[in-house]
Amino acid sequence: MTVAYWIIAALLGLFYLYAGGKKIVQSKERLQPMMGWVDTVPMPMVRTIGALEVLGAAGLVLPPVTGILPGLALAAAAGFTVLQVLATGLHLSRGEVKETGLNVTLIVLAAAEVWLATIWL
């Protein structure tokens, strides 16, 4: 279980660190080609989502490594699950059914991480 937790934590952590970092630092024009939804969401919200993604990535890794408040890893994984459910809803509301594949994959990984964190931590 420990190995599975760390594999998924690494995958999710790298993904959200990258995606969140882009949302924090790039302009709407630079984000729009790969994240079409940014045209319908105010940029302060995009920046907030990016910051939450970066903090969540840290939350998956740092608490279990340091032993300080390891329950935060469970909260981070649950937060990513909720985030992707909402993102899937946004894509579906925009008629972007094809774009939901990544969201579904991230939901499955984050939900597995919730389960693993519940057992392991």
Side-chain angles (χ1 to χ4, degrees), residues 41-120:
V41 177
M43 277 311 286
M45 179 63 84
V46 174
R47 303 272 189 242
T48 301
I49 292 168
L52 290 172
E53 288 175 343
V54 170
L55 289 171
L60 288 176
V61 176
L62 294 178
V65 166
T66 63
I68 299 170
L69 297 171
L72 289 177
L74 174 61
F80 284 143
T81 305
V82 171
L83 176 70
Q84 288 306 316
V85 168
L86 294 172
T88 302
L90 176 67
H91 284 299
L92 292 175
S93 73
R94 291 172 46 95
E96 302 170 340
V97 177
K98 293 186 296 185
E99 284 79 4
T100 60
L102 176 61
N103 299 107
V104 171
T105 301
L106 291 169
I107 289 168
V108 169
L109 287 173
E113 195 73 347
V114 168
W115 179 70
L116 289 167
T118 303
I119 292 172
W120 180 59

